Amino acid sequence: MIGKLILIAIGSAFINNVVLSQFLGICPFLGVSKKTGTAAGMGSAVVFVITLASAVAGAIYKYLLVPFDITYLQTIVFILVIAALVQFVEMFLKKKMKGLYQALGVYLPLITTNCAVLGVALTNVKKEYTILEGVVNGFATAVGFLIAIVILAGLREKMEYNDIPKSFQGMPIVLLTACLMAIAFFGFSGLK
């Protein structure tokens, strides 16, 4: 059991990284990765939301949708669960961490529409994970997102001091860097 959970965690965080392998959650990945502090804050918020959404969505699916044979409503139900959790995170950050709340700006509500959050909930159902396995998958996926966004933010901070050709300045060099990161993470696929 523990071995399977470890394999799920490693696979979700590194081998099937949600941003660099599945290409989900690109908007906050590119938009909030200018500073490492902001990227870490966004990554932490995503870790909280995805982990909690995995648990709640898994429980709702198992104890409500399956017994009443209304699994066709899973996408709508999961979106509502995610929206509620993001509202909770937004209210918490606004009250307790005003600096991070202002730094995240418009990207915090974007967690609601972050396809990575919904993607994890749907993946948990598709792979028929138990609630515990789904939570581990969600947590590891979110940690993979956190790792990727913080690495990109660190690289972007370093690139500010480099002499980059004019045609590559701005988003082109960021996209090229994200491409190279995806290639590097592809190297983890040999761990299967």
Side-chain angles (χ1 to χ4, degrees):
M1 179 67 177
I2 297 292
K4 184 176 182 183
L5 294 177
I6 291 171
L7 286 175
I8 289 171
I10 291 172
S12 298
F14 297 108
I15 298 167
N16 297 315
N17 186 284
V18 72
V19 177
L20 301 174
S21 175
Q22 298 176 14
F23 306 109
L24 298 174
I26 297 291
C27 182
F29 177 67
L30 296 175
V32 187
S33 60
K34 292 177 183 166
K35 301 289 178 199
T36 52
T38 308
M42 173 59 108
S44 300
V46 168
V47 168
F48 178 77
V49 169
I50 288 182
T51 304
L52 203 53
S54 295
V56 173
I60 288 173
Y61 184 81
K62 182 177 181 179
Y63 297 114
L64 185 66
L65 299 181
V66 171
F68 289 105
D69 196 28
I70 52 174
T71 55
Y72 57 89
L73 293 175
Q74 71 186 13
T75 304
I76 294 169
V77 170
F78 292 168
I79 289 171
L80 292 173
V81 166
I82 292 163
L85 291 172
V86 170
Q87 287 298 319
F88 172 72
V89 170
E90 191 172 1
M91 289 186 307
F92 175 79
L93 290 178
K94 189 174 185 179
K95 187 169 184 147
K96 300 287 184 184
M97 304 171 133
K98 291 182 184 189
L100 180 58
Y101 175 78
Q102 291 171 346
L104 291 175
V106 70
Y107 294 101
L108 186 58
L110 280 178
I111 296 175
T112 304
T113 59
N114 186 343
C115 51
V117 183
L118 180 59
V120 170
L122 294 174
T123 298
N124 290 343
V125 169
K126 180 183 172 191
K127 292 188 176 183
E128 298 179 357
Y129 285 152
T130 64
I131 294 175
L132 177 61
E133 291 170 345
V135 169
V136 169
N137 179 51
F139 178 75
T141 299
V143 168
F145 177 85
L146 173 66
I147 290 168
I149 196 170
V150 169
I151 289 173
L152 182 62
L155 292 171
R156 286 181 75 173
E157 285 181 354
K158 296 290 183 189
M159 284 189 288
E160 287 181 20
Y161 304 108
N162 292 341
D163 186 26
I164 298 171
K166 187 170 176 120
S167 60
F168 283 103
Q169 290 177 359
M171 196 50 66
I173 194 69
V174 173
L175 292 172
L176 185 60
T177 303
C179 258
L180 293 172
M181 286 176 59
I183 291 169
F185 269 71
F186 183 70
F188 289 118
S189 64
L191 293 176
K192 289 183 181 181

